[in-house]
């Protein structure tokens, strides 16, 4: 139904989740592919997620814009025709690209750190027991069978979960992996389903798979090992939480971070670990508001729990799984990340840190810390082969580069080496995982790095220069209104309407919206806005404050209400389209005219024509018999906010307004001439932008006369003051 009724412009956010990859065909991709078949339809695909390394998926996304773009590997250089066509459609902006022209830093400085712990005593003994059991599982079955693959994934699940926490290990040991597959399928189909499920929950999958439902502990139990499993479960339950070396290390670095003034969010891999940490941290940090957010909560509930932290009087401390590493911004409340569990996918690692290290972060620096076991072979392998190499490349290129080639194959090979390290393993097993050759992996990393460097050059947008765009951007802001304009309007409007805003010492404004007129309160209540208490007009906004921008519904409702009152003329003491005052701000009688100018913009390309209506508001002033003079925004504000020196008798006020209106017959032609000048300016602006984009066609602008007079205000110099 949507495809049949879809409009001609579609904006797709988080477009990387719609990719079609070699590991499966996404239904979202099929929808977009159908929509893109209509040549007149426009697609805007947006993503801030690093390229996952799946070349096929990436090329297919580009192919939605133009089918020829799937052949980007054939591009030879900057002058290649396909490269030039691609530049019309693809824009890649990195932080470095913005820093090149943006005065001041829009992004914080990222500090990185590491902390370690040692597996000692009963905790170390349990880890060795689990590691030995994992090795036994891998060596037990003949390679290539479904049972062998189930044992392999069960072993990996145990390694992930015991490295996370004993609680996660207990759940893995209690859950059979066979329950994850459909017994009604044949062995090959079950193997495919097993691979897809396990890759996502154990190997951290890919960002295309989403992050909201894979933080449940994977199954690892085997029917034939009941007694051994039960013994390990009891061993895990007998551990004393107070002796947990990983938790001790976390508490230590957490106290240090808090003393430094950081506000951290702690990322875990599995729900059991997050709940365990939440319970322990509430005991140890009673002066903090500790919240736990996992995939057990719906997306709406997750947002509500984050919003509730803003209302707390205690500083927040958040424990979360990767369900929060995408989709919810955390930069307003937090400026640090602790990786309690290392990710096995550098992209997911970057996504975690990107929740706080992003545009809108108020702090000038953010801190990211990795916690790992000094004698944990699983952590050591992931850290050495994946994380540190990925971090070095990210620093060199300014963008993340995924694990080269088949990331799952690389990760599985790393884990296989961990399990074979102590006992050796058969020659067949060693041959099967020979891909772990460190030299070969290093070559693949460098190849991926060079490919990323080439793509950075290939996709760099050279044609559109920021300095060329900024004049148009600034003109748009002048017309639409800046943050300061929104603040001025809201403060003035709320004061006039009996609900004055109060500036708070820590930032933001207290908004007593309950005191607004009943009709206006009904409109706000319909949009769930009446309960707003703290608002801010600048971004990033104050902690706990709602950012109020020009198009926010609160602004729209107030503007609509005031416009209705002005047009109705029933509350002239509140707002009026005409008025007269005594003021010391002018030396001679001045009349301020508010005009609405409309121009019809006609675009013709071939035999197709399209008309648009351009509209703007202008202020002009007339003094004595001089021609109308166009005012800039600053002059207009100065006159509109002119101080009233004393009351003007009603008869005098009416006479002043009538005298001003009687001059309209003579001023009409001059206002029309001004409208023609503005129409020519609109045409020039439009033509300049279209030519910069190399757009073809003819353009005409026709002013719609006469100009509309929206308001007239007479400012009379107060002679008694001179």
């Amino acid at each position: 139904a949507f495809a049949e009724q879809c409009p001609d412009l579609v904006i797709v956010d988080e477009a990387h989740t719609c990719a079609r990859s070699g590991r499966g065909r996404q239904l979202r991709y099929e929808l977009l592919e159908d929509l893109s078949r209509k040549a007149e339809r426009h697609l805007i695909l947006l993503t801030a997620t690093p390229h996952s390394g799946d070349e096929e998926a990436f090329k297919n996304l580009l192919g939605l814009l133009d089918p020829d773009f799937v052949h980007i590997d054939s591009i030879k250089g900057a002058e290649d025709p396909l490269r030039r066509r691609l530049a019309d459609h693809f824009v890649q902006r990195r932080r470095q690209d913005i820093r090149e022209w943006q005065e001041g830093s829009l992004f914080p400085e990222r500090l990185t750190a590491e902390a370690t712990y040692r597996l000692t005593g009963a905790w170390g003994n349990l880890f060795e027991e689990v590691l030995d059991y994992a090795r036994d599982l891998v060596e037990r079955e003949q390679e290539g069978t479904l049972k062998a693959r189930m044992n392999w994934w069960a072993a990996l699940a145990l390694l992930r979960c015991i490295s996370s926490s004993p609680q996660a290990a207990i759940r893995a040991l209690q859950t059979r992996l066979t329950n994850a597959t459909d017994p009604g399928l044949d062995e090959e189909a079950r193997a495919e389903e097993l691979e897809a499920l396990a890759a996502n929950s154990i190997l951290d999958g890919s960002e295309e798979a989403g992050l909201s439902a894979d933080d449940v502990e994977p199954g690892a139990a085997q029917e034939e090992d009941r007694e051994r499993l039960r013994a390990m479960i009891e061993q895990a339950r007998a551990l004393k939480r107070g002796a947990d070396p990983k938790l001790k290390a976390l508490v230590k670095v957490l106290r240090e971070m808090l003393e430094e003034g950081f506000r951290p969010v702690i990322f875990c891999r599995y729900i059991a670990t997050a709940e365990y940490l939440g319970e322990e941290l509430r005991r140890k940090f009673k002066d903090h508001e500790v919240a736990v957010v996992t995939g057990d909560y719906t997306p709406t509930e997750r947002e509500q729990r984050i919003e509730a932290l803003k209302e707390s009087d205690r500083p927040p401390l958040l424990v979360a799984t990767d369900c929060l590493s995408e989709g919810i911004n955390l930069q307003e409340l937090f400026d640090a990340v602790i990786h309690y569990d290392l990710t096995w996918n550098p992209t997911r690692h970057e996504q975690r840190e990107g929740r706080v290290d992003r545009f809108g972060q108020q702090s000038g620096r953010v801190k990211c810390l990795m916690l790992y076991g000094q004698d944990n072979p699983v952590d050591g392998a992931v850290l050495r082969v994946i994380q540190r190499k990925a971090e070095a490349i990210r620093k060199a290129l300014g963008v993340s580069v995924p694990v080269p080639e088949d990331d799952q194959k690389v990760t599985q090979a790393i884990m296989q080496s961990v399990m074979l390290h102590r006992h050796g393993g058969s020659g067949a097993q060693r041959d099967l995982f020979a891909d772990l050759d460190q030299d070969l992996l290093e070559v693949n990393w460098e190849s991926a790095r060079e490919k990323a460097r080439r793509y950075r050059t290939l996709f760099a947008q050279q044609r559109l220069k920021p300095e060329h765009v900024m004049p148009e951007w600034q003109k748009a802001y002048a017309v639409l209104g800046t943050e300061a304009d929104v603040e001025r309007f809201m403060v003035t409007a709320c004061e006039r309407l009996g609900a004055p805003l109060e500036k708070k010492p820590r930032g933001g404004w207290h908004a007593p919206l309950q005191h607004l007129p009943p009709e206006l309160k009904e409109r706000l209540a319909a949009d769930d806005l009446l309960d707003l208490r703290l608002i801010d007009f600048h971004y990033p906004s104050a902690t706990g404050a709602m950012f109020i921008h020009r198009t926010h519904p609160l602004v729209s409702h107030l503007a609509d209400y005031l416009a209705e009152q002005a047009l109705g003329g029933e509350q002239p003491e509140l707002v009026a389209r005409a008025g007269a005052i005594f003021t010391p701000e002018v030396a001679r009688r001045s009349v301020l005219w508010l005009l609405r100018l409309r121009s019809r913009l006609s675009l013709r390309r071939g035999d197709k024509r399209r008309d648009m209506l351009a509209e703007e508001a202008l202020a002009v002033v007339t003094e004595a018999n001089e021609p109308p003079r166009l005012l800039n925004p600053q002059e207009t504000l100065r006159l509109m906010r002119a101080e009233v020196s004393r009351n003007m008798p009603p008869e005098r006020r009416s006479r002043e307004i009538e005298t001003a209106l009687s001059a309209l017959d003579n001023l009409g032609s001059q206002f029309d001439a001004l409208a023609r000048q503005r129409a020519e300016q609109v045409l020039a602006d439009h033509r300049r932008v279209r030519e910069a984009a190399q757009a073809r066609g003819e353009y005409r602008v026709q002013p719609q006369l006469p100009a509309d007079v929206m308001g007239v205000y007479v400012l009379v110099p107060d002679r008694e003051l001179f």
Side-chain angles (χ1 to χ4, degrees), residues 249 431 498 506 566 622 663 682 708:
D431 291 340
R506 295 185 178 180
T622 54
V682 169
D708 295 329

Side-chain angles (χ1 to χ4, degrees), residues 448-712:
R449 172 177 175 167
E450 288 307 310
K451 183 175 289 187
R453 189 191 304 276
R454 176 176 176 269
Y455 276 172
R456 182 185 68 176
T457 302
L458 181 65
F459 298 138
Q461 181 55 260
Q462 303 294 342
R463 180 177 299 170
L464 195 61
K465 304 293 185 182
E467 60 269 21
H468 296 164
V469 177
M470 289 309 296
E472 312 305 328
W473 177 268
Q474 290 160 354
K475 285 183 180 181
Y477 254 106
V479 172
L480 298 177
T482 63
E483 291 181 345
D485 295 326
V486 175
E487 178 179 330
R488 174 181 51 81
F489 168 76
M490 287 294 299
V491 170
T492 304
C494 288
E495 183 178 359
R496 291 285 186 89
L497 292 169
L501 303 182
E502 178 188 355
K503 187 70 176 289
K504 306 302 289 184
R506 295 185 178 180
W509 299 74
H510 173 66
L513 303 182
Q514 297 286 348
H515 297 298
L516 291 171
E519 181 183 348
L520 187 52
K521 287 199 298 184
E522 289 180 8
R523 301 182 189 182
L524 297 180
D527 280 349
D528 294 325
L529 297 174
L530 203 54
D531 292 331
L532 284 180
R533 289 294 177 265
L534 189 64
I535 62 177
D536 201 352
F537 308 108
H538 303 283
Y539 193 86
S541 55
T543 302
M546 172 67 73
F547 174 50
I548 306 297
H549 46 83
R550 178 188 173 276
T551 57
H552 192 280
L554 180 59
V555 177
S556 301
H557 283 308
L558 263 66
D560 288 345
Y561 180 80
L562 290 172
E564 292 166 6
Q565 300 307 312
L567 293 171
E570 297 176 358
Q571 298 189 64
E573 71 284 352
L574 173 64
V575 58
R577 295 179 61 193
I581 62 169
F582 285 123
T583 179
E585 301 293 330
V586 296
R588 52 181 176 170
R589 184 177 180 275
S590 304
V591 182
L592 181 66
W593 306 87
L594 293 184
L595 307 180
R596 181 176 64 179
L597 307 184
R598 292 179 171 183
S599 299
R600 187 176 66 186
L601 177 62
S602 300
L603 292 80
R604 183 184 297 276
R605 185 172 182 178
D607 58 351
K608 295 183 179 180
R609 171 176 166 169
R610 186 157 59 99
D611 289 340
M612 295 184 293
L613 190 64
E615 184 177 285
E616 65 175 328
L618 293 177
V620 298
V621 66
T622 54
E623 298 173 320
N625 296 322
E626 296 180 4
R629 177 169 59 89
L630 186 64
L631 297 178
N632 61 40
Q634 290 73 27
E635 290 180 293
T636 303
L637 278 179
R638 183 182 67 81
L639 293 179
M640 290 293 290
R641 303 170 80 174
E643 181 181 352
V644 178
S645 56
R646 58 191 174 96
N647 291 332
M648 181 178 288
E651 298 81 6
R652 174 73 182 272
R653 183 165 59 244
S654 298
R655 186 168 66 251
E656 292 287 355
I657 295 174
E658 290 172 1
T659 301
L661 293 175
S662 65
L664 264 180
D665 290 339
N666 296 328
L667 290 173
S669 59
Q670 299 180 64
F671 289 162
D672 290 349
L674 178 60
R676 294 187 183 93
Q677 293 175 13
R678 298 299 295 178
E680 289 298 320
Q681 185 62 51
V682 169
L683 178 60
D685 289 345
H686 189 79
R687 179 172 288 149
R688 184 173 59 257
V689 172
R690 300 284 292 186
E691 288 175 352
Q694 297 185 354
R696 298 181 179 88
E698 299 177 357
Y699 324 104
R700 294 183 57 190
V701 175
Q702 182 67 33
Q704 305 300 289
L705 304 176
D708 295 329
V709 178
M710 303 300 294
V712 55

Side-chain angles (χ1 to χ4, degrees), residues 175-212:
T175 308
R176 291 186 62 198
L177 185 62
T178 50
N179 293 337
T181 60
D182 185 353
L185 299 174
D186 59 35
E187 183 166 313
E188 183 178 352
R190 290 184 68 191
E192 274 189 33
E193 187 177 354
L194 174 68
E195 297 292 319
L197 290 169
N200 205 38
S201 62
I202 299 174
L203 296 186
D204 290 349
S206 64
E207 66 274 13
E208 290 91 349
L211 305 170
S212 60

Side-chain angles (χ1 to χ4, degrees), residues 245-409:
K246 188 176 181 182
L247 177 61
K248 281 185 175 180
L250 172 67
V251 171
K252 180 177 182 293
V253 298
L254 199 50
R255 293 194 191 281
E256 292 172 353
M257 271 194 180
L258 294 174
E259 289 175 2
E260 293 174 13
F262 287 105
R263 297 162 290 142
V265 52
I266 303 157
F267 276 108
C268 308
R269 184 61 185 88
Y270 297 116
I271 294 173
T273 304
E275 293 174 343
Y276 162 64
L277 288 186
E279 184 178 339
E280 293 298 313
L281 294 181
R282 288 189 186 99
R283 293 195 186 104
K284 298 180 182 298
F285 295 89
K286 295 182 179 180
D287 56 340
H288 283 70
E289 186 69 30
V290 179
V292 177
V293 178
T294 69
D296 276 348
Y297 299 99
T298 66
T300 300
E301 290 171 335
R302 296 172 206 163
E303 291 185 15
Q304 290 172 346
R305 291 182 75 82
I306 299 300
E307 288 299 316
L309 288 175
K310 298 179 181 180
E311 305 295 329
S312 175
D313 294 330
R314 296 182 295 173
L317 195 56
L318 177 63
V319 181
T321 63
D322 287 312
C323 72
L324 277 192
S325 65
E326 186 177 65
I328 296 180
N329 295 339
L330 302 176
Q331 74 271 23
E332 291 186 24
L333 288 173
F334 304 99
D335 57 10
V337 166
I338 297 177
H339 299 278
Y340 190 75
D341 296 328
L342 296 182
T343 69
W344 289 11
N345 183 335
T347 299
R348 183 168 291 197
H349 184 93
E350 180 71 15
Q351 286 173 316
R352 287 178 175 180
E353 297 181 355
R355 290 303 94 201
V356 300
D357 183 8
R358 63 193 299 109
F359 175 71
Q361 173 60 254
Q362 297 184 58
S363 175
R365 57 180 189 160
V366 298
K367 190 168 187 177
C368 303
L369 181 142
M370 289 192 296
L371 180 65
Y372 61 92
Q374 187 175 344
D375 53 352
N376 182 334
V378 177
D379 283 356
V382 172
L383 188 68
R384 181 180 66 256
V385 182
I386 297 179
Q387 293 294 353
R388 285 193 172 139
K389 187 65 178 178
E391 176 65 12
I393 293 178
R394 186 190 70 81
K395 289 182 176 179
L397 292 183
V399 292
S400 292
V401 176
V403 177
E405 304 304 330
D406 189 338
D407 56 345
Q408 294 184 15
K409 187 176 181 181

Side-chain angles (χ1 to χ4, degrees), residues 94-105 107-108:
R94 303 167 306 143
R95 293 191 179 190
Q96 290 92 324
D97 300 322
I98 296 174
R99 289 190 179 111
E100 287 177 1
W101 61 272
Q102 176 68 42
E103 293 184 6
S105 177
F107 302 103

